[in-house]
Amino acid sequence: MRTIHIRRMMILSTVLLLGPILSTGCARIHDKSAAEVLHLVLAGMAGSDGVSFEGASSLMLDGKPVPKAALYYGGTVSDHNKVSLHTLLPDGGKPQTAAQAGGNKLKSSSAAASAYYTRLEKKNGQWTLLQQDSTASPDSPLPGLNPLRQLEDLEKHEIEVSEEAGGARGTRVLRIELSEPEAVRQLAAELEGQMEAIRPGKSGSEQKETGKEEDALQLLWAKKNNELQQKLKEVSVRTVYYLQVDTKRNLPKRLTCTRRVNDPANQGTTGGGAEEIYLTEVNFYGYR
């Protein structure tokens, strides 16, 4: 009996000693700052074997939606660095980029073929389009909607991270805003990448012109590129992300982004489109 009593005392002592330590550990997890939670989530996402996702993007001009610019998509992440994306169209219609819809004045005016499926792989730190497995034109919006790239961007830019109140149980909602210079640089990088992809004579293009036709296309591209650079000097950009976090696993549940582009030069002009709002959202599920 004495031996049993001693064992009970030892177990009780161990529980009393470990209790505060374990409680402190849990408190530390839940008491981390918004910036620390973001870092943990991005690290957790990088370590995840795979996940499925569905999302949407849309464009508004002066508060009015551009229906033809709306795009619904889904996809999967596998092996940490491979992403497949495809369009989701309940009505069976053909998707259009914002450039095709004629809405976003900062994008190229070149018409783009409809995009249905794209595969990307990260090689040497860069996301590469696997052309042999894709049906996408050079200015397809699908590569830009790669959710892993969107999350990675949050670590590359100058940001301000805070937490929103009222998150659902078991979640935290982080508000992530880019500084205005960073927001402009991010937009510029995306649009310049799209312009470079459609540059005449670019390897991999379906058709290559020669002689006068090629010269004319080069001149047109240079003109549009100069117009783009001028616009980027004039606009103001505000970009805000909201990241809903699963606190049990420290993984993303939902990511939304609102980018507001204002062009003071066009304010007050008829049909000028003083403000463009580009919205994206993506929901993650089925982590592996």
Side-chain angles (χ1 to χ4, degrees):
M1 295 292 295
R2 180 178 178 80
T3 302
I4 294 175
H5 177 71
I6 292 174
R7 286 179 179 174
R8 285 178 178 173
M9 290 296 294
M10 291 177 64
I11 292 172
L12 178 61
S13 298
T14 302
V15 170
L16 290 174
L17 286 171
L18 290 179
I21 296 175
L22 294 174
S23 298
T24 302
C26 293
R28 285 175 181 169
I29 291 174
H30 291 287
D31 290 344
K32 287 187 179 297
S33 68
E36 290 173 319
V37 171
L38 176 60
H39 179 74
L40 285 174
V41 168
L42 296 178
M45 190 65 173
S48 176
D49 290 334
V51 66
S52 298
F53 58 86
E54 289 187 3
S57 66
S58 59
L59 177 69
M60 299 182 69
L61 299 177
D62 286 337
K64 299 178 180 179
V66 181
K68 291 184 178 181
L71 182 68
Y72 302 91
Y73 64 96
T76 58
V77 177
S78 60
D79 299 331
H80 305 283
N81 63 344
K82 295 178 181 178
V83 177
S84 299
L85 300 104
H86 56 269
T87 52
L88 299 172
L89 296 175
D91 60 1
K94 294 183 179 181
Q96 287 185 301
T97 64
Q100 286 178 286
N104 193 334
K105 297 178 296 302
L106 292 179
K107 292 187 177 181
S108 166
S109 61
S110 300
S114 298
Y116 295 100
Y117 178 66
T118 294
R119 288 191 68 229
L120 302 157
E121 184 175 5
K122 192 173 185 181
K123 298 179 179 179
N124 300 319
Q126 299 294 325
W127 286 100
T128 303
L129 180 66
L130 302 179
Q131 294 283 1
Q132 67 273 23
D133 296 319
S134 303
T135 54
S137 63
D139 66 343
S140 163
L142 286 179
L145 294 170
N146 174 3
L148 288 192
R149 185 195 61 77
Q150 293 181 54
L151 288 168
E152 291 169 356
D153 275 355
L154 300 180
E155 288 190 306
K156 298 177 182 178
H157 297 291
E158 180 183 324
I159 58 175
E160 181 178 331
V161 187
S162 58
E163 183 169 359
E164 292 288 294
R169 184 176 181 180
T171 69
R172 293 178 70 173
V173 179
L174 307 182
R175 183 183 185 278
I176 306 154
E177 182 170 0
L178 273 62
S179 66
E180 184 167 351
E182 285 290 273
V184 173
R185 282 193 285 270
Q186 182 192 53
L187 175 62
E190 292 176 12
L191 297 179
E192 288 168 356
Q194 292 177 15
M195 284 297 296
E196 185 61 27
I198 62 173
R199 186 171 188 165
K202 185 81 174 177
S203 60
S205 61
E206 295 182 0
Q207 182 178 357
K208 293 184 179 180
E209 306 292 345
T210 58
K212 294 181 179 180
E213 290 182 342
E214 183 177 0
D215 291 341
L217 287 174
Q218 289 284 2
L219 288 173
L220 177 60
W221 183 90
K223 177 183 177 182
K224 293 298 182 181
N225 190 53
N226 288 335
E227 291 176 359
L228 170 63
Q229 297 301 326
Q230 185 58 41
K231 285 291 185 183
L232 289 171
K233 293 178 182 178
E234 298 170 354
V235 299
S236 63
V237 184
R238 184 182 183 189
T239 302
V240 179
Y241 294 85
Y242 287 92
L243 178 62
Q244 186 181 40
V245 178
D246 180 342
T247 55
K248 184 177 180 179
R249 295 184 292 178
N250 280 334
L251 289 170
K253 286 179 65 69
R254 177 181 172 88
L255 178 67
T256 66
C257 176
T258 301
R259 173 188 282 159
R260 296 176 179 269
V261 182
N262 286 277
D263 186 355
N266 283 334
Q267 288 182 359
T269 61
T270 304
E275 183 178 57
E276 298 178 4
I277 304 177
Y278 183 59
L279 307 167
T280 61
E281 62 178 80
V282 59
N283 295 284
F284 302 91
Y285 62 92
Y287 279 98
R288 299 180 289 280

